Amino acid sequence: MSIDNKTNRYQIVSELYKSILFRVPDQNEIEPHVAFLDQGGDFYELFTSIFYSIEADNVRNSPVHRTSFGPRDFITLLYEAKLGRCPSEQELESWLDSEGNGDKFTSLYDAISRSSEAVIFAKSKDNTNFITCGESSSVHEDMSQAIKNLYVGILKRTPKIDEVSAWAKAIDNGMSIADVISELVHSDEVKINQQTNSLLDFLSDGVFIQNVYEIILGRGISSLELSILEQKIRAHEISRDQIVKNCFLEKYNIEATKAPYNNPNEVTILGSRRTSNLSDWNSRKSNDLEQKFEPNYNCLPLKANINPRVSVIVSMYNGLPYMESFLNNMLSQTIFEECEIIIIDACSPQGEYDSFHHIIEKHKNIKYNRLKSRIGIYEAWNIGIDIATAPYITNANLDDQRHSKSFQIQASILDNIPFVDVVYQDFYYTFEPNIDFRTIARIGIKSHLPIISKNNIMSFNSPHNAPMWRRNIHFDIGMFDASFKSAGDYDFWIRCLNAGKTFYKINDPHVAYYVNPLGLSTSPDTVGVKEANVISKRMNKLITSEYQTMPIEDFIKILSRISGFELDGYSRADQRYNYAQNVISKLSTKLK
């Protein structure tokens, strides 16, 4: 379809200036572009000449103006202009992956426009037409893609099939591209988008996202989630109202499905997105049956004359099936004589003491306390902590296992590194109770915990299994919150982190966690997820850095002031991490 109306050609240029440069062109600027079209110039050539201009690049980098077109749209339009076709998804991903140093727009333009395919297309196309003449399917595909690009750029969404068909038909009947752009730009949908994009605009994007997650989903947002969404808003890949809609949809799906939170025979490997299950366990166990494995651990020397060195807190209820294995595991510890094992029997009906009193009474450092009524695990821990006399505390679950050096390894860290408050480690998973640690380690299903920080505590409860901590931190932090049934330890570690306590990770897994289908944290109807949401909602804003939620412009100013470097020409779509890394790199170069 040729652009044969001079009024339309003036309107095309005007609309492109307003869409890309956010201003109205003067007559002297319009005339050269109209002359270009008069001489048979292609519409996409016109579009790309404005889009690639220095002024457009400055607009894209401006903290005030926002361009509608991202790299995907740029590449798509460049293919249409220079090759007469749309890029495949594989080509798109290839170009996007190659975006890197320097002026990526110029590099892409040069690479595509100088290709042999571009040369052949330039010789074969009819430059008097907007799209190559003819009724072939490729023409209609190009027209449809052009309409989709306009929708994504102007309305921030992909069009429905009937919308594409309606516009394509209108263009076939003589409607100009300028008219299409004009109608989309001045549509009611754009007005609504402008209103929703200013939704609570007195809040920064980061603070807005935090509040949406807390109000709609009832939980705090992790640092990673926040970083991704905040960056997507700045890159115009998502709007505020879309985030609200997505959260409502997620909430609806949760409430509508009412699915169990957990499969009791499957577990997500902490520190990763992988899962393992009973079938995986049995397969590994069968394959490794003939292998011999003896885990070996080194540890720092212990300080002399500390006894008891470690108080081991044990909450017990219905623990009879695990009691023998548990006591044997405690007795096998290399520093058992330097430990006090404090068992809090929460009025268990199974008579554990009667069955094992001969072992308990034989060892004076096993302190057995039976209560008159049932209580929760964290209340039991608090009672045990009140009884404890050792400088270090750890908890032990009846159904878990430890290597014989486990207590020694943890205590040696606290003995030798005085600024460490909490020590934790990777751990093995077991799907069988009462199995020896050597077999569990040989099968080798283990966690991949990160170094704990405020940035990842909302994603992973890293000290989840068998940590050891200094008893005196309870004077600063308080006790475990006994109102929780399953996530009280998560709440406690977040409070420790927020108070500036130091955590130390041991990479060697010397403890094993039993995926107990009847356990408090692994049963299908666990309240752990709900409690974790409550905790994350309450603590999220306390542990999230203000530098992550403040407007990007303020972050840049502060970074410039602290570093002494001017950060000109930045892109709003870039990540804060990249700015910080750039400054660190400049500082290191300066100090050489």
Side-chain angles (χ1 to χ4, degrees):
M1 175 183 303
S2 61
I3 303 173
D4 55 4
N5 184 295
K6 191 151 190 170
T7 302
N8 283 345
R9 291 197 286 273
Y10 274 88
Q11 192 173 0
I12 285 174
V13 176
S14 180
E15 292 295 342
L16 288 177
Y17 264 69
K18 285 188 281 187
S19 298
I20 299 173
L21 304 181
F22 291 87
R23 67 179 180 84
V24 177
D26 60 35
Q27 192 68 20
N28 292 333
E29 291 174 312
I30 292 178
E31 289 295 345
H33 294 306
V34 172
F36 169 76
L37 293 175
D38 286 342
Q39 296 167 9
D42 186 80
F43 169 78
Y44 281 131
E45 295 280 1
L46 169 63
F47 179 91
T48 52
S49 70
I50 298 173
F51 188 79
Y52 310 147
S53 67
I54 295 175
E55 182 179 352
D57 195 47
N58 290 335
V59 168
R60 280 187 287 273
N61 292 331
S62 168
V64 177
H65 298 299
R66 299 185 173 192
T67 180
S68 302
F69 297 90
R72 270 182 105 81
D73 307 302
F74 177 90
I75 295 167
T76 299
L77 290 170
L78 188 55
Y79 261 68
E80 292 170 345
K82 293 297 182 181
L83 307 182
R85 66 176 178 87
C86 298
S88 67
E89 189 63 28
Q90 184 177 2
E91 288 172 317
L92 268 175
E93 293 299 330
S94 174
W95 285 114
L96 289 169
D97 289 342
S98 69
E99 290 176 20
N101 299 325
D103 184 348
K104 61 189 178 188
F105 289 100
T106 300
S107 300
L108 284 171
Y109 183 87
D110 289 343
I112 294 174
S113 62
R114 294 176 183 177
S115 67
S116 58
E117 184 180 354
V119 173
I120 294 171
F121 175 71
K123 291 178 180 178
S124 64
K125 73 175 182 175
D126 179 357
N127 285 326
T128 64
N129 291 338
F130 164 59
I131 296 175
T132 305
C133 293
E135 295 299 323
S136 67
S137 60
S138 63
V139 171
H140 291 292
E141 289 175 2
D142 287 347
M143 178 70 74
S144 296
Q145 187 60 48
I147 293 168
K148 290 177 183 178
N149 290 339
L150 289 174
Y151 263 71
V152 171
I154 298 171
L155 301 181
K156 306 295 193 299
R157 68 174 177 87
T158 55
K160 299 175 183 177
I161 295 176
D162 58 344
E163 289 175 320
V164 174
S165 299
W167 285 114
K169 185 176 180 180
I171 292 172
D172 284 339
N173 290 332
M175 187 176 191
S176 70
I177 293 297
D179 288 337
V180 174
I181 295 173
S182 179
E183 289 204 22
L184 290 176
V185 168
H186 297 104
S187 66
D188 290 338
E189 185 172 345
V190 166
K191 295 175 183 177
I192 293 172
N193 285 343
Q194 289 172 344
Q195 292 172 356
T196 55
N197 284 338
S198 62
L199 187 64
L200 298 176
D201 57 3
F202 59 90
L203 297 176
S204 68
D205 291 333
V207 174
F208 174 83
I209 296 167
Q210 279 184 318
N211 281 281
V212 167
Y213 267 64
E214 291 177 10
I215 294 170
I216 299 176
L217 296 179
R219 69 174 177 89
I221 185 171
S222 72
S223 180
L224 178 59
E225 289 176 303
L226 178 61
S227 177
I228 291 172
L229 286 178
E230 194 257 358
Q231 191 270 337
K232 281 189 173 182
I233 288 179
R234 289 190 279 110
H236 307 291
E237 296 176 11
I238 195 170
S239 63
R240 289 189 172 195
D241 66 309
Q242 286 174 308
I243 291 175
V244 173
K245 291 175 184 176
N246 291 344
C247 286
F248 268 114
L249 181 61
E250 181 178 339
K251 181 68 173 178
Y252 171 79
N253 289 335
I254 292 171
E255 297 296 328
T257 57
K258 296 293 183 184
Y261 285 110
N262 286 341
N263 176 347
N265 291 312
E266 183 174 84
V267 66
T268 298
I269 303 300
L270 203 59
S272 75
R273 295 183 178 180
R274 296 187 298 107
T275 61
S276 187
N277 53 42
L278 184 59
S279 176
D280 180 32
W281 167 270
N282 289 332
S283 175
R284 287 170 177 251
K285 186 179 179 182
S286 175
N287 292 338
D288 296 342
L289 195 60
E290 302 301 323
Q291 293 186 20
K292 293 183 178 180
F293 181 77
E294 183 62 47
N296 185 35
Y297 302 100
N298 297 316
C299 59
L300 300 171
L302 294 170
K303 289 184 178 179
N305 303 321
I306 302 178
N307 199 348
R309 190 183 303 272
V310 180
S311 295
V312 183
I313 311 299
V314 184
S315 173
M316 187 184 72
Y317 187 83
N318 285 347
L320 187 61
Y322 316 106
M323 195 68 177
E324 181 177 6
S325 176
F326 168 76
L327 288 173
N328 288 334
N329 190 243
M330 293 296 99
L331 294 172
S332 74
Q333 293 297 308
T334 56
I335 61 168
F336 171 74
E337 297 299 332
E338 297 180 16
C339 298
E340 57 177 4
I341 314 298
I342 303 173
I343 300 175
I344 306 299
D345 181 343
C347 200
S348 176
Q350 294 186 338
E352 291 87 351
Y353 182 83
D354 294 337
S355 299
F356 293 96
H357 68 89
H358 58 288
I359 297 177
I360 295 170
E361 293 175 356
K362 182 179 178 180
H363 301 279
K364 293 183 178 180
N365 60 335
I366 299 180
K367 300 178 180 181
Y368 195 96
N369 300 267
R370 180 170 173 82
L371 306 179
K372 295 181 180 180
S373 61
R374 185 177 181 183
I375 60 173
I377 184 173
Y378 299 111
E379 188 174 355
W381 284 10
N382 289 341
I383 292 173
I385 292 166
D386 284 336
I387 296 172
T389 61
Y392 311 143
I393 293 176
T394 187
N395 69 293
N397 298 325
L398 289 176
D399 53 4
D400 292 345
Q401 289 286 323
R402 289 178 180 254
H403 185 269
S404 59
K405 284 186 177 180
S406 179
F407 292 157
Q408 182 181 351
I409 292 168
Q410 292 177 312
S412 70
I413 298 297
L414 297 176
D415 270 2
N416 288 275
I417 311 179
F419 61 82
V420 171
D421 300 296
V422 182
V423 59
Y424 68 102
Q425 62 285 313
D426 277 313
F427 56 89
Y428 290 113
Y429 289 90
T430 172
F431 288 80
E432 285 185 49
N434 305 323
I435 188 170
D436 66 281
F437 185 85
R438 184 186 307 172
T439 301
I440 296 170
R442 174 172 55 80
I443 293 171
I445 302 175
K446 75 180 188 72
S447 64
H448 298 278
L449 299 176
I451 304 298
I452 192 172
S453 71
K454 289 184 178 181
N455 289 333
N456 61 39
I457 188 63
M458 287 294 168
S459 300
F460 306 107
N461 179 13
S462 291
H464 163 68
N465 186 243
M468 186 177 287
W469 63 96
R470 298 187 189 274
R471 181 162 61 96
N472 61 15
I473 69 174
H474 289 285
F475 300 137
D476 300 329
I477 308 301
M479 306 297 272
F480 290 92
D481 188 336
S483 68
F484 292 112
K485 294 181 179 180
S486 179
D489 58 319
Y490 181 46
D491 167 76
F492 184 75
W493 304 130
I494 292 179
R495 284 191 279 137
C496 286
L497 197 62
N498 190 53
K501 299 303 178 183
T502 301
F503 290 73
Y504 183 100
K505 184 196 171 187
I506 299 170
N507 290 324
D508 295 324
H510 53 80
V511 298
Y513 174 76
Y514 173 43
V515 184
N516 188 342
L518 302 178
L520 188 61
S521 62
T522 51
S523 61
D525 59 346
T526 180
V527 298
V529 173
K530 294 179 180 179
E531 290 186 347
N533 286 344
V534 170
I535 293 165
S536 67
K537 179 179 179 180
R538 185 175 69 189
M539 301 296 293
N540 179 258
K541 289 177 181 175
L542 292 176
I543 67 171
T544 301
S545 169
E546 63 176 335
Y547 295 114
Q548 190 172 1
T549 58
M550 65 174 54
I552 189 68
E553 295 81 11
D554 294 346
F555 177 77
I556 296 295
K557 290 177 183 177
I558 291 174
L559 201 59
S560 295
R561 186 177 71 247
I562 293 174
S563 66
F565 293 111
E566 290 297 326
L567 300 177
D568 296 325
Y570 66 89
S571 168
R572 280 183 53 86
D574 208 350
Q575 296 182 9
R576 296 166 197 252
Y577 177 85
N578 293 341
Y579 297 128
Q581 285 292 94
N582 181 260
V583 166
I584 291 171
S585 177
K586 288 182 177 180
L587 285 172
S588 64
T589 302
K590 183 179 179 180
L591 293 174
K592 285 182 179 179

